[in-house]
Amino acid sequence: MVKTRLMLLLVCAVSGPVTSLGASDLFSDADANDTNVNGTNVSGITGSATLTDIKRQLSTLSSPQQRIDFLQQQRPQSAQWPIEQQGQLLHLLAIEQEVNSDLVAAVDSYTQAIKLLTPHPLSEELVKSYIERSFILYLQTNDTQVYCPDREVAITLARQLGNVDILAEVLAQSAYCYNKPSDFGEGLKRLNEALALAQQHQLGLSRQAMIFNATAAIYRDNGLNRKAYQYFKKSYGFWEQAQDKQDMFNMLHNMVGESIKLGLWVENKDHLLQMQQLVEQSPEFADFEFFYQFNTGISCWAQGLFQEGIEHFLRALEVQDTTQEKYFVDATHAWLALSYFRQQQPDKAFKYAEKFSHSATYHGHSSELKLMIAAIIDYANGSSNLGMNKLLDTIDLQKKNFANIINNDVVNSSLDHNLTVAEFNNRLLENQLAINKLNLEAEIDTQKITNLSMVIAVLIALVLLVVVIFLWQSRRQFKRRSQTDYLTGIANRRHTFEQGKKIFNQAQKNNRPLAVIMFDIDNFKAINDRYGHDIGDLAIKACGRRARNWLKKNDILGRIGGEEFLIILPDTGQLQAVEIAERLRTSIELNQFVFHNVKINFTISVAVAMLTPQTHELADIIKQADLGLYQAKDKGRNQVVIMDH
């Protein structure tokens, strides 16, 4: 979920009140003789306006777009200001662009502000520009390599700045960048420092909630899901006290994911219900509906309710424009691909797999998800061996990740951090569990992880076996569907011509006879007009069934048009082909068909063409048969025409 508003409120909380942004104290007073503000007119400041004038005028404007327009109008005159004040103006503009969800423009403004502010004495605006730009880059990519460099610069500057609240914020945010088992300890080290600052300086609920949220996130990313779930619940409690609905919703989003991993289905259902209630209570947050549908879809998937999950994922895509977090929109495409594949709908699975694999956020997603999607694409393209290797790679990666999770360094680091958190909580809440109880719980969790490792390995092997069998069956079904006409169940046009060319080449090479029969239903349009298209479809199906009765195993029967059929007869002379054609025509002429209690008689026109020494390719014979069909129509229909070259 987009947390831009939260970040701006934090900026304002640090900087102090006055303007509608709460940002009037971001800058020092510039001129004792400020120009008066002209009401709420966007262009109300004239002459040599100062930053104080501009901030005062901002407080009179009601919408972010009005404030953006106003700040843009001040840009020309600000060219005469000192460079540092120009950077401060750009920082103000970036804040408003971020509030207005114009993230591309906001990144550009923050970048310009950083460029102008860097050579000058260190300021809060410079640190916050790095923090906010990093957050937007996270929303756009979810790639640590893209958004974490800004956080490292910000933490260095924040230590020099000496602002405790900003330092605690940057420490918590930078911990997200150390979410792998190899650097898990560094992430916890930074959170320990943030907790110490919050404890020593009695920072507010928002800062404490942010620290617990970051703690939960790196526990989650390292597979310690029970601890992650507990910390997300703690963070939710702080946001609930602050009545911050957006961050309450964010924590519910996280708790849904963790409750799925832990199999806490009662809690999972409760969290989804809470999300739904916030959707109804908070229409001002347009992206709530998207994330509610997304989370419900994931929950359905985890419980094997694939069709129900598909419905929720599709609803999420219907409102995808309400969120700036394209990472989750692209993730929805991936989960739709997996869901359709499990529902044995490979065409739709391939469609959404392709969308995901070409998405801008593709590289930011988990390796396991990307491998499963790659397997679907490989199977759809007929590369079954590559698809199998992708699945095996997924299992190997899961084993490696699991081994990293139960690594002693990770467990020991988490236990050390739990001690720090316990001390902090004991000072905040006297009824918190004792430190030794938390240590015991952590040790029990560690033991459970170790005991479950073998069980999980066996389960993974069983799941792999089931997936392999399913994919093999799906591939067979996919191939059959791609060759079959959906209405009649016989070969479709493409498959008929592909097989026909093979038979033609074999007959020509071995100098063997080959016959082609083309037929269609007489006055088919009149049947549709009189009885309806459903009866017309049944007539087409009946023709296909009758034709199949007169053919040998190696003969090819296909539907090549609306009511038009083609029969390819290898090793069949002209007399035998004409006999088959006449039997087919007669069997339909003499039969009265009954479709849905409607009695109907109809006939067909038939043409027979043969392979001759003058024939160069299959298309030549089919062209002759097509001409014969026209002659049959011209001669009154319901007859067989023999075409001789």
Side-chain angles (χ1 to χ4, degrees), residues 7-8 13 32 54 86 98 103 149 174 181 188 251 277 319 350 410 416 418 427 447 459 490 579 583 596 607 627 639:
M7 302 304 296
L8 293 173
I54 290 171
Q86 294 181 41
E98 192 175 355
L103 301 186
S174 67
L188 291 184
M251 293 307 101
Q277 291 171 347
V319 293
F350 178 74
V410 173
D416 291 340
N418 287 341
R427 296 195 181 191
Q447 187 61 43
L459 288 175
I490 62 177
E579 181 182 354
R583 287 178 180 175
H596 298 328
L627 291 173
Q639 55 187 280

Side-chain angles (χ1 to χ4, degrees), residues 39 130 145 183 286 332 365 385 459 505 508 539:
Y130 275 111
Q145 295 184 6
D183 50 25
T332 305
H365 291 268
N385 289 336
L459 288 175
N505 292 336
Q508 196 174 48

Side-chain angles (χ1 to χ4, degrees), residues 172-243:
Q173 289 197 17
S174 67
Y176 289 94
C177 302
Y178 296 89
N179 59 351
K180 296 183 177 62
S182 58
D183 50 25
F184 182 67
E186 178 60 24
L188 291 184
K189 178 181 176 183
R190 297 190 177 198
L191 289 169
N192 286 340
E193 185 179 353
L195 280 170
L197 290 172
Q199 174 183 323
Q200 182 180 353
H201 298 276
Q202 297 182 343
L203 301 182
L205 291 175
S206 296
R207 188 65 66 238
Q208 296 172 42
M210 178 178 288
I211 294 169
F212 280 121
N213 182 27
T215 302
I218 64 173
Y219 271 117
R220 173 194 61 201
D221 294 341
N222 283 276
L224 301 176
N225 302 109
R226 188 168 298 280
K227 286 297 180 187
Y229 184 73
Q230 291 171 357
Y231 283 116
F232 280 134
K233 287 188 72 174
K234 290 177 184 289
S235 186
Y236 176 85
F238 282 119
W239 292 125
E240 189 175 36
Q241 289 181 54
Q243 279 299 293

Side-chain angles (χ1 to χ4, degrees), residues 65-133:
Q65 188 58 55
Q66 284 182 312
R67 294 194 286 270
I68 291 171
D69 294 340
F70 168 70
L71 290 169
Q72 292 282 22
Q73 291 175 11
Q74 310 312 310
R75 293 285 302 281
Q77 71 171 16
S78 71
Q80 307 302 320
W81 295 358
I83 296 297
E84 183 178 4
Q85 292 185 15
Q86 294 181 41
Q88 292 170 347
L89 179 65
L90 282 165
H91 179 80
L92 274 177
L93 176 61
I95 290 173
E96 295 300 340
Q97 290 168 331
E98 192 175 355
V99 172
N100 204 39
S101 297
D102 190 357
L103 301 186
V104 174
V107 168
D108 183 63
S109 296
Y110 281 128
T111 301
Q112 294 182 58
I114 289 170
K115 183 178 180 181
L116 294 175
L117 293 170
T118 297
H120 296 277
L122 183 59
S123 63
E124 293 181 4
E125 292 84 357
L126 178 59
V127 181
K128 290 175 182 176
S129 292
Y130 275 111
I131 294 173
E132 291 301 315
R133 186 173 72 174

Side-chain angles (χ1 to χ4, degrees), residues 349-372:
F350 178 74
K351 169 187 170 183
Y352 286 102
E354 280 282 276
K355 284 188 176 182
F356 173 74
S357 65
H358 292 96
S359 65
T361 68
Y362 175 78
H363 296 292
H365 291 268
S366 70
S367 299
E368 293 93 333
L369 183 61
K370 289 186 286 189
L371 282 170
M372 287 191 290

